[in-house]
Amino acid sequence: MTTVFTTMESPLGVLLLSGTLDGNGPAALTAVTAPGQKGALSEPAPDWVPDALPLAPAVEQLTAYFAGELTVFDLPLAPVGTEFRQQIWHALDDIPYGATVTYGELGAAAGKSPRAVRAVGGAVGANPLLVVRPCHRVMGASGALTGFAAGVDRKRWLLELERGTLF
């Protein structure tokens, strides 16, 4: 399987998008990362192939999202992670645009024990699909803006975008 990549300008900085090709259609998105994002590649891996065309739908949808014109992404996704992380990442998809949940609420939505809140936080922090899988919508138990791999200022910006306070 071939991994392709492209970059795009965004309000969060230059995003690096990667995806896998399985035939002739759009790439299944494996990662969207921002500059300086903790635990994420800042440069393409040596075996990745630059090819913007299979990632064009992702670029178009992210552009529309940042313009305040898109509230739900409709892209093929193929992030790599453990079964536990995959379950948490799928639960992220159910958080409505403009809404927030706590780590405990997210864990409960994924069918996890309330004692798994730290593991849930770890899975959220390892989300490879920044913005597309809305980890920025997860807050601390007190409602505080906690932990966001791309930085709390970017998290605040994304939440303000979704609440309509930027435009």
Side-chain angles (χ1 to χ4, degrees):
M1 203 168 291
T2 302
T3 300
V4 294
F5 76 93
T6 193
T7 59
M8 69 173 282
E9 293 287 335
S10 83
L12 305 180
V14 177
L15 300 180
L16 173 64
L17 287 72
S18 63
T20 55
L21 290 178
D22 186 16
N24 290 330
L29 201 58
T30 55
V32 176
T33 59
Q37 182 176 329
K38 286 188 246 172
L41 290 177
S42 58
E43 298 290 328
D47 61 335
W48 291 3
V49 177
D51 191 350
L53 187 59
L55 292 164
V59 170
E60 290 169 11
Q61 289 187 34
L62 283 161
T63 299
Y65 170 85
F66 289 126
E69 300 166 355
L70 181 82
T71 61
V72 177
F73 291 94
D74 183 19
L75 298 165
L77 306 177
V80 176
T82 65
E83 183 179 338
F84 180 88
R85 286 184 174 181
Q86 294 283 352
Q87 291 169 345
I88 299 302
W89 297 340
H90 283 290
L92 288 171
D93 294 338
D94 294 330
I95 306 170
Y97 182 89
T100 58
V101 300
T102 65
Y103 291 95
E105 290 168 337
L106 180 66
K112 304 303 175 194
S113 163
R115 290 175 290 187
V117 72
R118 286 183 186 248
V120 169
V124 171
N127 171 29
L129 294 169
L130 189 73
V131 180
V132 174
R133 282 237 159 110
C135 54
H136 59 278
R137 297 178 190 156
V138 184
M139 313 294 276
S142 68
L145 292 179
T146 57
F148 185 58
V152 173
D153 288 342
R154 288 178 173 144
K155 181 174 188 162
R156 182 178 296 109
W157 188 92
L158 291 166
L159 292 171
E160 288 176 2
L161 169 72
E162 292 186 7
R163 291 179 181 141
T165 58
L166 287 179
F167 298 107

